[in-house]
Amino acid sequence: MAISPESMPENPIDFRAPPPSPIASGRRSSVTNDEVLTEFLEHSLRVPDLILPDKIFPRQKIVETPPRIDCQSLISGESDSVLRMLDSIARIGCFQLVNFGIPSEFIRLVSVTAAGIFQLPPEKKEAVSRSLERPYGFEEVHGDHQEAESEVTEEFVWCKDESLKLDMEGIWPTGYSNFSKKMETLSSDIEKVARKILQILHENCPRKSMNGNDMMQRQDLIGSVCCLYKHGRNFLADQWAGSLGYDVMRMLIRGTDYSHALCLHICDGSSEFHVYSKKGWVSFCPDKDALIVTVGDRAQVWSGGQYKHVFGWPIFKGEDQDSISMAFLYSPPSSNSSSSKTSKGKKTVSLGQQAIVAVILTLVCHFLVYFYKEV
């Protein structure tokens, strides 16, 4: 039987919340409990004091001058020169090379010509700035006071690329052609030296990685790269330290952008040369007219870790004028690229052409069989 609304009870059930739990009298008051809770939260939610490093690089700096290797003795296979080079790159990842066959007067001439690149107006530099689509050109300008040219470090990435040549001739038509010719000559001479050094390293490496051949054969699309740096003059102590941190971080990023086997540094006139690696920081005063050779990531991989990958950076202090340094990132030419060049002269037959020939031969065969049967 259905229950009508009139038949429902007049007084519904009254639901009430239970009374609060009483505080134990004689022990603690509510104020005391609040103090205990507050103290507990303060202890449990306390953030530990963290001491962060105030500098990017380790404070401990090792002063060690790498050996001075004569290039002609090294190429001739003199055991003392080879052993000293191998020992140095295994410990600190670099060595100094002298008597390498490139006249110092020509190197200075290239440096003077390269200084003209950094004298271009900012709007022209921005037109040929580096990007993801353009792996060459000007890098972003940095300095504590960017309006003062004496307190700025700039970078220009050069390579043997026709697009770069066209872009630079568009903003510097009078000077880039002359600079490019000199850079191509110097780059070719540097590559010859690097190729000989790399051959010696490869021959004297007892433990080669399984991926060594692949790493040696990899080659960037734009070939060998040269990073040109303009080091500002008259830096104050605090400005120099800040700029050094920025420049080295940019240099570390550049090393990852351009994978290489060797880096050959031209930094005549530098007061110091710093070598950075995961394990430490080595500083020394380079010899005059010496070529500083540092090991790249590819050489470390195919050597199985025997050769130490490092990053090098020259330091110019107390100079009354801007200084130019160059870092040539070298990688051996790919065998795939050379084989592709030789195969250009050979004619290849595609699968479609082969199928057409097969059909034609089949028809000819059937025609000949039919012809002989009729005869």
Side-chain angles (χ1 to χ4, degrees):
M1 179 177 181
I3 300 176
S4 63
E6 293 79 5
S7 63
M8 295 182 63
E10 296 180 359
N11 298 326
I13 301 176
D14 187 13
F15 290 98
R16 296 182 180 181
S21 301
I23 300 174
S25 59
R27 292 185 179 181
R28 289 177 180 172
S29 63
S30 60
V31 177
T32 305
N33 287 340
D34 291 341
E35 292 178 353
V36 173
L37 178 61
T38 301
E39 183 180 359
F40 170 76
L41 292 176
E42 288 179 352
H43 283 282
S44 60
L45 300 178
R46 181 176 298 173
V47 179
D49 296 331
L50 300 177
I51 301 177
L52 299 177
D54 56 350
K55 293 185 178 181
I56 302 175
F57 311 105
R59 295 183 179 181
Q60 184 178 2
K61 181 174 63 174
I62 303 175
V63 179
E64 180 179 355
T65 302
R68 190 171 181 267
I69 308 296
D70 184 274
C71 184
Q72 303 305 319
S73 301
L74 187 66
I75 296 175
S76 63
E78 184 179 322
S79 59
D80 179 66
S81 299
V82 174
L83 291 176
R84 287 195 300 142
M85 180 192 68
L86 296 176
D87 176 72
S88 182
I89 63 175
R91 291 186 300 104
I92 60 178
C94 75
F95 65 94
Q96 301 185 85
L97 190 69
V98 296
N99 192 22
F100 45 86
I102 304 177
S104 57
E105 294 79 10
F106 178 68
I107 294 177
R108 294 190 186 95
L109 179 60
V110 176
S111 298
V112 172
T113 309
I117 288 181
F118 300 104
Q119 296 175 1
L120 293 173
E123 59 273 12
K124 290 188 175 182
K125 294 179 182 178
E126 187 176 356
V128 193
S129 59
R130 290 187 69 250
S131 62
L132 295 177
E133 297 79 15
R134 182 189 290 149
Y136 52 77
F138 292 94
E139 189 59 50
E140 179 184 1
V141 176
H142 167 74
D144 292 333
H145 303 283
Q146 294 190 6
E147 65 275 6
E149 294 183 357
S150 61
E151 296 171 354
V152 171
T153 299
E154 297 184 64
E155 176 185 358
F156 178 78
V157 179
W158 177 89
C159 62
K160 297 178 181 179
D161 188 84
E162 191 64 26
S163 299
L164 171 63
K165 185 176 181 180
L166 294 176
D167 291 342
M168 288 301 300
E169 286 180 348
I171 64 173
W172 192 27
T174 57
Y176 186 77
S177 178
N178 181 35
F179 164 76
S180 181
K181 291 179 181 179
K182 290 182 173 59
M183 278 297 299
E184 289 179 3
T185 302
L186 179 59
S187 177
S188 299
D189 294 340
I190 291 290
E191 288 179 3
K192 293 177 183 178
V193 176
R195 192 178 302 113
K196 294 176 182 178
I197 295 174
L198 206 59
Q199 181 180 358
I200 297 174
L201 293 179
H202 197 266
E203 292 173 352
N204 290 273
C205 182
R207 45 177 185 176
K208 298 181 178 66
S209 172
M210 295 296 294
N211 300 325
N213 293 331
D214 296 338
M215 204 66 181
M216 287 288 290
Q217 292 175 0
R218 285 176 51 198
Q219 176 74 356
D220 295 322
L221 296 177
I222 58 176
S224 297
V225 174
C226 178
C227 298
L228 295 96
Y229 302 97
K230 188 198 77 171
H231 305 265
R233 61 187 185 276
N234 297 331
F235 268 92
L236 299 177
D238 55 345
Q239 295 172 350
W240 178 82
S243 178
L244 174 62
Y246 178 89
D247 292 336
V248 174
M249 284 301 297
R250 186 173 60 184
M251 177 262 303
L252 296 177
I253 296 173
R254 187 71 62 256
T256 58
D257 285 347
Y258 300 107
S259 180
H260 59 283
L262 293 176
C263 183
L264 292 84
H265 303 263
I266 296 177
C267 50
D268 189 28
S270 61
S271 54
E272 295 179 17
F273 192 89
H274 293 182
V275 179
Y276 301 92
S277 68
K278 295 180 179 179
K279 295 184 179 180
W281 173 13
V282 177
S283 174
F284 63 92
C285 181
D287 291 348
K288 182 178 175 57
D289 297 332
L291 197 65
I292 311 299
V293 182
T294 57
V295 176
D297 57 327
R298 296 188 184 183
Q300 175 172 302
V301 170
W302 60 254
S303 67
Q306 178 180 351
Y307 304 143
K308 185 178 179 182
H309 176 212
V310 297
F311 297 94
W313 184 253
I315 304 297
F316 294 85
K317 289 183 180 180
E319 298 294 331
D320 56 356
Q321 59 182 358
D322 296 337
S323 302
I324 302 295
S325 69
M326 292 176 278
F328 290 87
L329 307 178
Y330 173 76
S331 295
S334 173
S335 60
N336 295 331
S337 61
S338 60
S339 61
S340 62
K341 291 180 180 179
T342 56
S343 61
K344 287 183 179 179
K346 299 180 181 179
K347 295 182 179 180
T348 57
V349 181
S350 63
L351 292 177
Q353 293 173 338
Q354 295 178 18
I356 294 174
V357 172
V359 172
I360 294 175
L361 291 177
T362 304
L363 294 176
V364 171
C365 181
H366 283 290
F367 176 77
L368 292 177
V369 172
Y370 176 78
F371 177 76
Y372 281 115
K373 285 182 178 181
E374 292 294 330
V375 175

